[in-house]
């Protein structure tokens, strides 16, 4: 098992690192997080786990407003065009040992993440306070970049701050400027954490519920019509399917876009293809992130519904025995 929030916060205290801690409902996006802590004046962060074609992993931690172009970042790392993509959920669970929505530089505390590269937005250096999740997304901690550096150095990491919006020329006479940040190896997966994802279950209120021992209830299979089956087959269920789903979306959009725009502008579709390809590269990372969040929300809703069914069944069973 990986480190817990409590163990991480205790570690920060041992290092005499100053930080503030804010509890809030579970959040899956930066926008949701901003509703609870955005008014406090600190710098919100977005944190991505990326994978290259050789299965090496990268945590990219950036200010919420920083535009991260994965195509350019891939070239700057020396991976060529299209060398980076969103890592699947399995990598979060087995390597970072955090569930969806909880990617954070603090996850590198886990030994299983020792081979993961970390790229930090240089914009953090100019902020008095920066916001990150401490391994769980129902809490936000605020600390300075210098204190984040102190933590990273305590686990043997040399902080690497990068201008993530820069677009330097990469070519024969201009080697990739971030090539030194490519990991030397592939992480060894740890034992996967139990996939119950308590930090991803939105709380309906902040009042702790009494624990109840319930009998196992097997759900009865539901009969669906053909339309429902067709829709269900499109729902992404893992990291690979998220990528396929996003590609399918663009495959559907491409002919429609090219046909409509070419008619209105009187331009050949071939000339518009490069424009659409550029749009696809820019939008892929955001669409994959949103799709992952929606998938996670759907999983959470199913989890809550199942738990509610078990709870009701257990209570009815207890009542019938009285």
């Amino acid at each position: 098992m990986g480190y817990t929030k409590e163990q991480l916060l205790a570690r920060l205290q041992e290092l005499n690192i100053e930080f503030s801690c804010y509890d809030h409902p579970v959040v899956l996006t930066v926008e949701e997080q901003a509703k609870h802590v955005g008014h406090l004046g600190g710098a919100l962060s977005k944190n991505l786990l990326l994978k290259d074609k050789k299965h090496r992993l990268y945590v990219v931690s950036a200010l919420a407003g920083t535009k991260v172009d994965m195509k350019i970042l891939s070239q700057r790392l020396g991976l060529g065009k299209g060398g980076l993509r969103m890592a699947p959920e399995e990598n979060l669970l087995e390597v970072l040992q955090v569930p969806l929505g909880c990617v954070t530089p603090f996850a590198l505390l886990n030994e299983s993440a020792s081979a993961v590269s970390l790229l930090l937005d240089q914009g953090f250096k100019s902020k008095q306070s920066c916001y990150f999740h401490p391994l769980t997304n129902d809490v936000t901690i605020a600390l300075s970049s210098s204190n984040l550096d102190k933590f990273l150095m305590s686990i043997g990491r040399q902080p690497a701050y990068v201008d993530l919006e820069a677009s330097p020329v990469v070519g024969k006479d201009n080697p990739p400027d971030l090539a030194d940040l490519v990991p030397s190896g592939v992480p060894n997966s740890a034992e996967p954490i139990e996939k119950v994802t308590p930090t991803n279950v939105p709380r309906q209120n902040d009042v702790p519920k009494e624990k109840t021992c319930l009998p196992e209830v097997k759900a009865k299979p539901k009969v669906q019509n053909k339309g429902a089956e067709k829709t269900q087959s499109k729902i992404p269920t893992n990291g690979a399917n998220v990528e396929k789903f996003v590609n399918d979306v663009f495959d559907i959009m491409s002919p429609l876009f090219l046909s409509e725009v070419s008619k209105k502008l009187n331009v050949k579709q071939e000339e518009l293809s490069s424009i659409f390809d550029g749009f696809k590269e820019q939008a892929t990372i955001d669409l994959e992130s949103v799709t992952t969040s929606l998938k996670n929300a759907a999983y959470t809703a199913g989890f809550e519904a199942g738990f509610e069914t078990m709870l009701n069944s257990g209570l009815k069973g207890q009542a019938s025995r009285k």
Side-chain angles (χ1 to χ4, degrees), residues 89-90 100 195 232-243 245 291 295 299:
E89 180 183 355
E90 289 76 13
L100 287 167
K195 199 172 180 180
Q232 185 179 17
S233 67
K234 292 293 184 179
I235 299 176
T237 56
N238 57 43
N241 281 351
V242 167
E243 179 184 327
F245 174 79
T291 302
K295 180 197 75 172
Y299 171 81

Side-chain angles (χ1 to χ4, degrees), residues 118-135:
L118 174 63
L119 284 71
L120 295 164
D121 191 340
Q122 71 174 18
F124 287 131
K125 304 286 283 184
S126 62
K127 304 298 181 181
Q128 184 176 0
S129 181
C130 306
Y131 292 160
F132 301 95
H133 287 314
L135 308 178

Side-chain angles (χ1 to χ4, degrees), residues 10 27 31 36 88 97 117 125 138 140 159 192 194 234 247 262 283 294 311:
V27 294
E31 290 75 17
H36 304 287
Q97 299 204 59
S117 182
K125 304 286 283 184
D138 59 354
T140 293
E194 188 177 356
K234 292 293 184 179
N247 285 331
S262 62
L294 291 174
L311 179 62

Side-chain angles (χ1 to χ4, degrees), residues 52-189:
D52 65 22
K53 294 179 179 179
K54 294 185 178 180
H55 304 289
R56 295 171 297 199
L57 298 176
Y58 309 75
V59 168
V60 176
S61 186
L63 292 171
T66 297
K67 295 180 180 179
V68 181
D69 187 316
M70 287 211 301
K71 176 183 176 182
I72 294 176
L73 182 59
S74 177
Q75 291 176 312
R76 294 177 66 189
L77 288 165
L79 306 176
K81 296 181 179 180
L84 287 176
R85 62 182 65 251
M86 296 288 287
E89 180 183 355
E90 289 76 13
N91 289 146
L92 272 73
L93 299 172
E94 298 176 9
V95 180
L96 295 189
Q97 299 204 59
V98 296
L100 287 167
C102 300
V103 177
T104 169
F106 294 114
L108 301 185
L109 177 63
N110 291 309
E111 185 177 351
S112 54
S114 60
V116 178
S117 182
L118 174 63
L119 284 71
L120 295 164
D121 191 340
Q122 71 174 18
F124 287 131
K125 304 286 283 184
S126 62
K127 304 298 181 181
Q128 184 176 0
S129 181
C130 306
Y131 292 160
F132 301 95
H133 287 314
L135 308 178
T136 177
N137 55 358
D138 59 354
V139 179
T140 293
I141 61 173
L143 76 170
S144 65
S145 60
S146 59
N147 276 321
L148 175 62
D149 293 348
K150 187 175 181 179
F151 164 77
L152 292 172
M153 288 187 285
S154 77
I155 60 173
R157 295 274 182 164
Q158 186 61 39
Y161 287 90
V162 176
D163 181 357
L164 292 171
E165 292 188 330
S167 182
V169 176
V170 177
K172 183 177 180 181
D173 299 324
N174 299 283
D177 62 317
L178 302 181
D180 291 341
L181 298 180
V182 175
S184 58
V186 178
N188 294 318
S189 297

